[in-house]
Amino acid sequence: MSPYPVMNEPIALKQKNLSLLQNRAICPSYDRSKVKTGIVHVGVGGFHRSHQAFYTDELMNAGESLDWGICGVGLREADRKIGDVLAQQDYLYTLIVRHPDGKVENRVIGSIVDFLLGCDDPEAVIAKMAHPDTKIVSLTITEGGYNFNPATGEFDFSNPGIQNDLANPSRPQTVFGFLTAALKRRREAGLAPFTVQSCDNIQHNGNVAREVLLTFAQKQDKDLASWIAASVAFPNAMVDRITPVTTPEDIQFLDTKIGIEDEWPVTCEPFVQWVIEDKFSAGRPSWEKAGAQFVPDVTPYETMKIRLLNAGHSVLGLLGSIHGHQTIDGCVSDPLFESYLSRFMDFEATPVLDPVPGIDLDQYKDCLIERFGNPNIKDKLSRICLESSSKLPKFLIPTIRENLQRGGSIEYATLVIAAWCYYSDTGKNKDGVALDIVDDMKAELYQAAKGTDADPLSFLKLESVFGDLAHNETFAKTYTGMVGALYENPDVARQMQVLLFGRE
Ligand code: CS2
């Protein structure tokens, strides 16, 4: 029997219908008409909606201040759809929290109260960021959005959006142009600056945001750059909640089983974590009351999360794609992949991690495997492998480098790089089925990978990704053996078995 009662007609998700939806989902208990916008958030993807917006909604439900509502911002044409859907639903959406045992909690989130599209009306976005009520501008702009070369750390001024923003400061296209234009306006108006709060999976995300913004601002207005350097806070943070891409089945589930018409809900796991440095320029919500943790130094937490969870995802994503797996839970239910992931975490990632205050790493890793195995979170490998060129330099390559320095094991991670080469070159899995590769560097990755026959190290010569890794003899030797074997026989499971058990 279905665990859900037979529903009456589905009800459209809108403010005026919230009282009718109360018995179908947890709904905001606060008066949304009294919510002020204290946060402007750039990048309203699934992750922002399952994480920061969720924490903020929790706070308001708990009776905390209503001064921290969120105005979502999209900068590109591709963000138009989410803006339109949210506007049509009075900025409400449903978070579908799926537990491993099949339990589902549906919760209507009310903390987003507005949305602006930068490419339509840049002035409206600048004005909102410069508004006296705005205290925080937060970002989920993806690992690649910080616009620096991961190998050299240099800011990419050749990016056409950056060129536009330097030439037309009042009609910016990139986040850097918007932030500087709004901070300039606040300074001229005698207002305190907002905090710039990064929520991306980058080691020292706040420091990185500061560095790239200052580099950009210096080119535009040195005096403004000095003011930003002296007065804007950029807290570092570790953010975590697995949030797969919304599927038509999620929409259908809400409509037919729960009776909520929501055009763009978000599905996520029950686990959620946010560890933040308590450094804010103009105050902050009491997110600790909703379970966030404020610490003086977030470094060990973020390193742990990026090098175990995110790197673990990439390990499964690339090896699993070639093998023919489709999802992360599909990978960890395969004992070979589960053992491989554990071994990578225990032998390669953990030895180069510092101790993390209050966290038992063995428990953390067990919990990761359990989270990855949640059979109700169908996290597709295509999402995990998306933009690998900006993920691997942050998630996996630092572990290889540090192990090379201290003579540690590198085999498990190196096979992932070899698999990435094979994947970029052939675009197929071991059985010849085409894979859907989405990466800003797709063409360069393909060019470099396709030279492997003539020169086994060809792929590594992409210096913006690998830096000087090809010059390391130990790495070059290990990689050459693995990539050669993979091109000879793409049955990646054979090589995984050899590493795990010393035999096929
Ligand atoms: C994933 C992350 O994009 C990726 O490769 O590892 O999106 C991951 O699911 C989140 O960081 C979880 O917090």
Side-chain angles (χ1 to χ4, degrees):
M1 208 177 87
S2 157
Y4 305 100
V6 177
M7 295 308 314
N8 300 324
E9 280 296 285
I11 297 172
L13 183 52
K14 279 194 185 295
Q15 180 66 36
K16 70 173 170 37
N17 294 339
L18 277 186
S19 56
L20 298 172
L21 290 168
Q22 304 277 350
N23 60 357
R24 302 187 181 191
I26 303 167
C27 290
S29 59
Y30 47 95
D31 181 352
R32 290 183 79 233
S33 69
K34 299 221 166 70
V35 174
K36 278 205 263 179
T37 308
I39 302 172
V40 174
H41 182 81
V42 184
V44 187
F47 181 70
H48 170 69
R49 297 199 286 149
S50 73
H51 193 262
Q52 185 180 357
F54 157 81
Y55 275 98
T56 310
D57 178 73
E58 279 264 282
L59 268 193
M60 297 198 275
N61 272 333
E64 292 292 319
S65 163
L66 299 182
D67 290 350
W68 298 102
I70 301 170
C71 170
V73 166
L75 299 181
R76 305 178 184 175
E77 189 50 43
D79 301 314
R80 185 179 299 283
K81 179 164 176 221
I82 184 66
D84 287 349
V85 168
L86 285 174
Q88 193 186 302
Q89 301 183 173
D90 301 320
Y91 309 100
L92 295 164
Y93 63 93
T94 318
L95 192 62
I96 309 173
V97 183
R98 294 188 186 277
H99 292 251
D101 64 0
K103 189 174 128 200
V104 183
E105 286 160 83
N106 300 298
R107 147 177 218 141
V108 173
I109 304 288
S111 51
I112 301 182
V113 290
D114 196 1
F115 186 95
L116 299 168
L117 192 63
C119 57
D120 264 3
D121 189 354
E123 171 50 31
V125 174
I126 299 170
K128 193 72 184 172
M129 290 180 174
H131 192 281
D133 286 348
T134 301
K135 310 281 197 258
I136 295 173
V137 175
S138 52
L139 316 173
T140 43
I141 53 175
T142 78
E143 293 76 31
Y146 292 78
N147 195 53
F148 66 92
N149 176 319
T152 62
E154 254 167 60
F155 189 75
D156 179 11
F157 277 107
S158 70
N159 174 336
I162 298 291
Q163 289 294 323
N164 167 80
D165 293 6
L166 290 171
N168 309 291
S170 61
R171 291 197 61 79
Q173 292 171 357
T174 77
V175 67
F176 308 102
F178 279 102
L179 291 172
T180 39
L183 284 165
K184 182 169 196 270
R185 201 170 287 182
R186 290 184 86 95
R187 184 181 184 216
E188 283 163 359
L191 290 171
F194 46 70
T195 298
V196 176
Q197 184 175 22
S198 168
C199 300
D200 285 293
N201 291 308
I202 295 187
Q203 180 87 53
H204 309 317
N205 54 11
N207 300 355
V208 169
R210 179 175 195 272
E211 187 130 342
V212 288
L213 183 64
L214 286 179
T215 306
F216 173 83
Q218 254 146 18
K219 218 13 171 245
Q220 196 170 60
D221 179 341
K222 287 214 155 46
D223 199 35
L224 176 71
S226 310
W227 181 75
I228 297 176
S231 52
V232 177
F234 296 82
N236 292 308
M238 179 262 249
V239 294
D240 194 6
R241 188 168 223 179
I242 294 174
T243 311
V245 177
T246 305
T247 62
E249 292 74 37
D250 295 326
I251 298 173
Q252 178 85 10
F253 162 78
L254 278 184
D255 190 79
T256 58
K257 299 277 195 281
I258 310 297
I260 301 178
E261 256 174 48
D262 181 342
E263 258 194 67
W264 204 336
V266 179
T267 289
C268 66
E269 62 170 343
F271 182 96
V272 61
Q273 194 174 17
W274 200 4
V275 188
I276 317 166
E277 277 171 13
D278 202 354
K279 276 197 316 202
F280 285 76
S281 322
R284 63 165 176 84
S286 330
W287 280 311
E288 68 277 19
K289 295 192 177 143
Q293 217 180 322
F294 283 91
V295 297
D297 178 14
V298 86
T299 311
Y301 301 90
E302 54 181 6
T303 318
M304 167 189 78
K305 193 261 169 167
I306 291 171
R307 302 224 193 147
L308 292 172
L309 187 152
N310 297 110
H313 262 168
S314 298
V315 166
L316 298 177
L318 286 162
L319 298 175
S321 293
I322 296 189
H323 185 67
H325 283 308
Q326 302 295 322
T327 59
I328 290 290
D329 72 298
C331 286
V332 293
S333 66
D334 174 339
L336 178 68
F337 279 74
E338 194 206 312
S339 305
Y340 194 91
L341 173 66
S342 292
R343 206 63 94 77
F344 159 75
M345 294 201 289
D346 292 344
F347 284 24
E348 298 187 355
T350 311
V352 289
L353 285 182
D354 288 331
V356 192
I359 292 189
D360 173 334
L361 282 178
D362 287 333
Q363 268 173 20
Y364 183 82
K365 287 182 275 187
D366 288 347
C367 168
L368 273 187
I369 293 187
E370 224 179 282
R371 290 169 62 195
F372 284 6
N374 184 336
N376 302 309
I377 296 292
K378 296 284 170 221
D379 200 6
K380 298 222 169 72
L381 302 190
S382 54
R383 179 187 85 84
I384 300 300
C385 295
L386 198 88
E387 302 300 340
S388 286
S389 65
S390 56
K391 290 178 178 175
L392 268 65
K394 291 160 185 110
F395 300 170
L396 190 68
I397 296 173
T399 292
I400 300 180
R401 278 187 190 289
E402 288 176 31
N403 276 314
L404 285 170
Q405 263 165 24
R406 35 179 283 165
S409 161
I410 55 161
E411 275 86 2
Y412 292 91
T414 305
L415 182 60
V416 180
I417 307 286
W420 187 25
C421 173
Y422 180 85
Y423 162 100
S424 307
D425 182 5
T426 63
K428 296 199 173 115
N429 75 13
K430 72 170 189 335
D431 303 315
V433 176
L435 296 163
D436 180 21
I437 302 180
V438 179
D439 198 302
D440 274 353
M441 284 184 70
K442 187 173 174 180
E444 287 107 307
L445 290 163
Y446 169 70
Q447 278 305 325
K450 113 176 154 44
T452 303
D453 268 349
D455 167 9
L457 299 181
S458 172
F459 190 53
L460 303 182
K461 299 206 166 128
L462 270 179
E463 285 196 4
S464 69
V465 175
F466 297 107
D468 58 2
L469 210 51
H471 302 303
N472 183 293
E473 244 179 77
T474 313
F475 182 77
K477 195 164 158 241
T478 312
Y479 173 83
T480 303
M482 288 178 172
V483 86
L486 207 52
Y487 272 71
E488 220 164 83
N489 181 349
D491 182 1
V492 74
R494 288 173 65 229
Q495 285 199 61
M496 292 167 73
Q497 259 153 4
V498 171
L499 286 180
L500 280 169
F501 312 116
R503 61 181 158 72
E504 283 174 21

